[in-house]
Amino acid sequence: MFSSRRKTLLLQRARTLVEAQASCGGVDTASTPISLGFPLSPFPDSPRASNDKGMDRVVKSSISKINPQALPLNNQSADPLPLEVSGQIKAILELAIRSPSGDNCQPWRFSVTKSSLEIGIDHALAQHTFNNRHHASLISLGMLVESIALVSPELGLYAQVQWLAAEFINLDRKSPWVRITFANASLAANQSAWITAIQSRSTQRGEFSATGVVLSHPKFNFMKQCDSPLVSASVLSGEQARSTATLIEFICKSEQYVFSNPSALRDLFHWVRFSKHETQTSQDGMPWRSLGLRRTEALLFKALKRFPVLQNVFSPMVKIVIASQTRRKVGRAGGIALLSVKTATPEAVFEAGRVAMRQWLQLEQLGLAVQPISAASICVFDVASGAAPASMPAAYKTLYRNGLGTLMDAFCLNAGETPIWMYRFGQLATKPTQETPRRTLASFLIGR
Ligand SMILES: Cc1cc2nc3c(=O)[nH]c(=O)nc-3n(C[C@H](O)[C@H](O)[C@H](O)COP(=O)(O)O)c2cc1C
């Protein structure tokens, strides 16, 4: 899946940073900052920004080292106060940015101080036909935060997570959605299970098999019980999914939506990288090889991206291909899992992202692969919560409205539980797909 060389390098880097921190006087992040070579600052429009004026400023020259991709969340605000931060927090963030995001858009923005971190979303990067009311951003933020919470103790810190954006309306502003306060935790020398899992996690789009998936085994209990009061977890074996024809049909039709909707297709193609050069220069998006496409299919996609006028001509053919691929892949999965929220609040969606990430990592620790099936779950949530855009064709609104009933029946959901995240999992039966790139940590930091 992930090259073991990269895994070792990342682990070494994380450990070196923590050791550097320890050799500079222990793990007291509040009193012993380590220079990272780039400045860090609070969110420009966070209330805390104006209260931190007494804190150390980093010399102006180091500010120019910020990656130009770092876009300030709010250009009109007062100067952000650059601060230095501990090697541990840097190591944690280096790992956390390996988290999944829709189309690998990596929309997270960080503002870091010596012992805390605020995280927001870059709305320009997150703009997408499938990101209505920020639902996809909330999921990927939850995944990122869960990564932080899981690896922190393995790097000597405890991460306390505070949700800041109580209302969906608050999400539109350029303020942070989450604050994480770090406190010292005892560093266990041999504890690196989550670090390793996060380094090796990936989305796999090849075919799976049911080998090794026996849901009645206690090792799969984590897929049926959920410790979040806002989220419920359900799972079907591949066998159960296969015998529920309405479920498979619904998933196939919802995957086709992308190819029936010009704006969804445009947004998808925006993030598909058709050459190594494109991947290396952008450091985001999805290399076409990671999509499990054959070369001929990739060439067709490339042509459709370049000449949108061809999309109408080829759309029916592409839809047939997508439906048959989806039927095959979902039909052969070891299982299909569904997370539902018990209340339609941003915090619940964020929490679902956290649970999703933990399940993803746990499944990979069991040697299984995961692929999100987000159109069939996030769009159901969009329609059920009134977030579907007016531009969604009526036929698809009906599909997703009926899809809610299909998912509720198939996964035996209780009234009031609304699906938000679905994925297939199983033993990978084909070659693992290529690793996706990440931007540098500096590019996620707010500052100038
Ligand atoms: C909100 C969200 C929606 C996603 N939807 C899909 C999807 O429908 N199909 C898919 O194959 N991958 C999906 N992904 C996975 C991302 O494409 C993937 O995480 C990203 O390209 C980075 O690749 P990686 O997971 O291998 O690191 C989704 C991820 C997130 C966070």
Side-chain angles (χ1 to χ4, degrees), residues 163-171 176-177 344-348:
W163 178 247
L164 302 175
E167 304 290 333
F168 272 105
I169 192 81
N170 289 343
L171 305 180
W177 293 1
T345 60
E347 189 177 8

Side-chain angles (χ1 to χ4, degrees), residues 140-185:
S140 66
L141 179 68
M143 292 178 161
L144 175 101
V145 167
E146 188 61 14
S147 302
I148 292 173
L150 292 172
V151 296
S152 289
E154 295 181 4
L155 291 168
L157 292 178
Y158 168 73
Q160 192 194 14
V161 179
Q162 187 188 355
W163 178 247
L164 302 175
E167 304 290 333
F168 272 105
I169 192 81
N170 289 343
L171 305 180
D172 293 330
R173 306 204 180 108
K174 292 176 176 173
S175 42
W177 293 1
V178 168
R179 179 177 301 135
I180 296 184
T181 311
F182 292 99
N184 291 330

Side-chain angles (χ1 to χ4, degrees), residues 25-75:
V27 289
D28 181 0
T29 52
S31 60
T32 320
I34 282 182
S35 172
L36 300 176
F38 50 80
L40 302 156
S41 63
F43 269 77
D45 58 355
S46 109
R48 199 168 47 72
S50 56
N51 298 333
D52 279 343
K53 290 226 161 71
M55 298 178 115
D56 294 340
R57 279 171 187 271
V58 171
V59 278
K60 275 257 156 57
S61 63
S62 66
I63 296 175
S64 62
K65 288 184 194 158
I66 275 197
N67 186 316
Q69 283 174 331
L71 311 167
L73 281 185
N74 181 348
N75 291 326

Side-chain angles (χ1 to χ4, degrees), residues 98-104 135-137 139-140 143 201-203 205 255 285-286 360 371-375 378 421 434 436 438:
R98 295 278 342 143
S99 299
S101 57
D103 294 347
N104 198 22
H135 294 153
S137 293
I139 295 277
S140 66
M143 292 178 161
R201 188 214 54 81
S202 60
T203 300
R205 300 186 176 91
E255 289 290 310
M286 300 170 291
W360 193 328
Q371 183 189 14
I373 311 175
S374 67
I378 297 183
W421 185 250
Q434 199 189 330
T436 50
R438 290 297 183 277

